[in-house]
Amino acid sequence: MEWTGAKYADKPTVEVEAWVDAVPERVWSIVSDVRLMPEMSQELQAAEWCDGAEGAAAVGRRFVGRSKHDALGEWETTSHVVECDEPRVFTWAVHDAETPTALWRFTLEPENGGTKLRQWMQLGPGRSGLSLAIDKMPDKEEKIVFVRLREFEKAMTGTLAAIKERAEADGA
């Protein structure tokens, strides 16, 4: 990731991609099951659909995620599924569907008998825990944003590698 000098209000983004030797429907069954994601993420510790709901992801459904970060502590968020186009796009907004603290998206495309899998995220525009750090050190805002995006990029690369491994092993 290259330095951009982005501020939080710029709604900065990061995206990673991987090719998976499995059909999009197989990859979809993994990325759209929020309960599996903690197994593939170092930061996300648990995720459960709200209101006792089970089954497939759908627009309007909500889930609670519990996360942990050495420097940021532990926290819980409620996310709202805002786009769900099986087996192509799964997007959720953190905290508020209209003014999220972050947007997250998986995009799947058939490619060479497998799937091109992308994970994308956007910070803001709603205030988040990162906003608190920026409030304390406003002169370091661009660095704070850059460091967090770089952390996300590394974590997302690991998540895609874990999804790839799972999809390819289960498909063998």
Side-chain angles (χ1 to χ4, degrees):
M1 168 170 280
E2 292 185 27
W3 173 263
T4 64
K7 293 185 179 249
Y8 192 86
D10 297 331
K11 299 188 291 187
T13 64
V14 64
E15 183 175 46
V16 299
E17 70 176 56
W19 183 81
V20 182
D21 190 11
V23 296
E25 292 78 9
R26 172 67 200 128
V27 179
W28 175 265
S29 72
I30 298 167
V31 302
S32 65
D33 187 343
V34 300
R35 296 165 302 172
L36 292 177
M37 284 300 111
E39 297 174 25
M40 293 170 259
S41 169
Q42 291 186 345
E43 195 166 298
L44 183 63
Q45 303 297 298
E48 292 294 330
W49 291 110
C50 292
D51 308 318
E54 295 292 330
V59 171
R61 293 205 49 204
R62 296 176 307 123
F63 62 92
V64 173
R66 288 173 203 74
S67 299
K68 182 179 178 181
H69 183 283
D70 289 342
L72 303 172
E74 296 182 30
W75 66 96
E76 183 175 289
T77 59
T78 299
S79 293
H80 306 260
V81 177
V82 294
E83 187 176 9
C84 188
D85 181 10
E86 184 178 347
R88 299 175 337 115
V89 181
F90 179 51
T91 309
W92 63 96
V94 180
H95 280 303
D96 182 278
E98 300 299 318
T99 310
T101 59
L103 276 174
W104 290 85
R105 176 180 301 128
F106 283 110
T107 306
L108 299 78
E109 296 176 36
E111 183 179 87
N112 298 324
T115 303
K116 181 189 286 185
L117 175 63
R118 290 188 187 96
Q119 186 177 20
W120 171 92
M121 74 82 54
Q122 169 190 293
L123 287 175
R127 287 180 56 81
S128 70
L130 200 60
S131 303
L132 301 175
I134 293 166
D135 290 348
K136 290 178 183 176
M137 299 176 283
D139 57 317
K140 295 187 167 114
E141 178 175 4
E142 293 91 342
K143 184 175 182 180
I144 292 167
V145 167
F146 177 73
V147 167
R148 188 62 172 137
L149 287 176
R150 200 169 53 197
E151 286 178 345
F152 280 135
E153 181 181 50
K154 181 180 177 187
M156 292 161 59
T157 299
T159 297
L160 291 194
I163 292 168
K164 175 182 173 66
E165 182 178 347
R166 185 179 198 119
E168 292 176 354
D170 289 351

